[in-house]
Amino acid sequence: MASAFVVVPRPGSAAASRGEPASVPGPRRQLPDDAALDPLREYLLDPDVTDVFVNGERGVFIDRGRGAEAVEGWCPNEAEVRALAVALIALGGRHLDDATPCADVRWAGGIRVHAVLSPVACEGSVISIRLPAVEQLSLADLEQRGMFDTAVAADLRRLVEERTNLLVTGATGAGKTTLLAALLSAASPTDRIVTIEDVAELRLDHPHHVRLEARQPNLEGAGAVPLARLVREALRMRPDRLVVGECRGEEVRELLTALNTGHQGGAGTVHASGLAEVPARLEALGALAGLDDHGVARQVVSAIGAVVHVGNVDGVRRVMGIVRPVLRDGRLGIEEQA
């Protein structure tokens, strides 16, 4: 199976109509040069699409920032979806079969692919593809697109300049990674930024960005490089800004550990449906790491200077609020920034 990656033209261009690479400059998305992608290529090339889903024989759904929408044109059977899932995961260097029915990979260019085979996926094999933004967006770009107003933009720039440790929260697809990348890109060009992620998604417009990605064990159960080890390795790399990517479980311990080492200007992201839910969400994640509520509260208040929450309002990603964590009777709370 081919493993080379090529830059492909945007849909609708003259080069695209001839099947040739585009010759004019402009945002482009990298895709693997493999025929397995043909059923999905149209959607993967669309610069407005953020996610592509294949839900077994129920077909393809795409998200352009307004939620998942069903699309017409391809109604696969289970054998086709399964073969596609195996091929897409193989392009990321991992294996998918009945013994390993779930896998998550990242292709070159930052595209993330997750697949679950039937019968673990009860109604047929499913594929989820997360597509990075075609453009590298700055804070000015996000302000222009309505993510926040001028006053909030000034607050965000001040937090970066003052090297405040940040936690960006929000629901899936709300723009956490996009905002965090823009914030880090606004850091001084002399800063050495080290990012640690389970699957590397952060792409920064910054001259000194070191990316570390966790590695899962091989089929023999060897070779794993977990986040906790990468945090220790990163601390030896003299980072000016230490960033632990998305926390979905006990890795919140690594995030708090990293930001409690005396480093300033660090950051991370956490899923939360609203600002009011952030303390409970952090407590729940801390419990997975063996921390009690009081331990989480002390660690968070010590490590995090500001929480920036993002949400999706009528199809537009917006900063919903900026708060700071506080202790309330030994438990974690939040209050608005002064």
Side-chain angles (χ1 to χ4, degrees), residues 19-159:
E20 302 172 357
S23 58
V24 296
R28 302 169 184 173
R29 182 171 282 150
Q30 288 184 324
L31 292 182
D33 183 18
D34 194 284
L37 290 181
D38 289 350
L40 302 178
R41 194 173 297 275
E42 174 186 353
Y43 316 118
L44 299 178
L45 292 180
D46 189 331
D48 296 324
V49 172
T50 61
D51 296 88
V52 176
F53 310 106
V54 183
N55 295 349
E57 295 184 352
R58 288 174 294 171
V60 180
F61 294 74
I62 62 172
D63 189 346
R64 289 190 172 92
R66 300 182 298 271
E69 305 171 358
V71 297
E72 300 177 354
W74 184 47
C75 297
N77 57 42
E78 169 58 20
E80 290 173 321
V81 178
R82 183 185 180 94
L84 178 62
V86 171
L88 298 187
I89 294 299
L91 286 172
R94 296 196 61 197
H95 188 66
L96 190 68
D97 59 17
D98 288 336
T100 309
C102 308
D104 188 50
V105 298
R106 178 180 56 84
W107 297 342
I111 297 175
R112 183 171 175 173
V113 183
H114 180 266
V116 182
L117 295 181
S118 173
V120 175
C122 301
E123 298 183 14
S125 301
V126 294
I127 304 167
S128 305
I129 304 175
R130 170 61 62 89
L131 299 166
V134 175
E135 300 173 285
Q136 197 77 33
L137 300 177
S138 65
L139 287 175
D141 295 328
L142 296 179
E143 180 183 356
Q144 184 178 17
R145 297 183 182 204
M147 193 173 201
F148 40 78
D149 59 23
T150 302
V152 173
D155 288 338
L156 293 173
R157 290 188 174 90
R158 176 178 54 81
L159 292 171

Side-chain angles (χ1 to χ4, degrees), residues 107-287:
W107 297 342
I111 297 175
R112 183 171 175 173
V113 183
H114 180 266
V116 182
L117 295 181
S118 173
V120 175
C122 301
E123 298 183 14
S125 301
V126 294
I127 304 167
S128 305
I129 304 175
R130 170 61 62 89
L131 299 166
V134 175
E135 300 173 285
Q136 197 77 33
L137 300 177
S138 65
L139 287 175
D141 295 328
L142 296 179
E143 180 183 356
Q144 184 178 17
R145 297 183 182 204
M147 193 173 201
F148 40 78
D149 59 23
T150 302
V152 173
D155 288 338
L156 293 173
R157 290 188 174 90
R158 176 178 54 81
L159 292 171
V160 174
E161 291 169 1
E162 294 179 353
R163 305 183 61 80
T164 302
N165 285 339
L166 299 173
L167 185 64
V168 181
T169 63
T172 300
K176 298 186 298 296
T177 301
T178 299
L179 177 59
L180 180 56
L183 289 166
L184 294 171
S185 296
S188 169
T190 61
D191 284 351
R192 176 174 168 85
I193 302 175
V194 180
T195 60
I196 304 161
E197 299 177 87
D198 185 38
V199 176
E201 293 183 283
L202 280 167
R203 296 182 302 150
L204 310 183
D205 183 13
H206 192 277
H208 202 161
H209 177 204
V210 178
R211 308 170 75 196
L212 302 180
E213 181 181 65
R215 187 172 69 188
Q216 298 184 11
N218 59 22
L219 294 176
E220 288 75 38
V225 183
L227 286 176
R229 177 179 173 185
L230 290 181
V231 169
R232 294 194 297 271
E233 299 296 335
L235 292 173
R236 300 185 179 103
M237 299 169 70
R238 214 227 70 181
D240 294 304
R241 294 179 185 265
L242 187 60
V243 180
V244 179
E246 188 172 2
C247 296
R248 295 176 178 269
E250 63 181 17
E251 59 267 22
V252 72
R253 175 181 54 207
E254 275 62 65
L255 169 66
L256 297 176
T257 297
L259 299 185
N260 267 311
T261 57
H263 292 274
Q264 297 180 319
T269 69
V270 167
H271 274 75
S273 57
L275 269 174
E277 285 73 41
V278 169
R281 177 65 173 157
L282 290 171
E283 288 176 350
L285 296 179

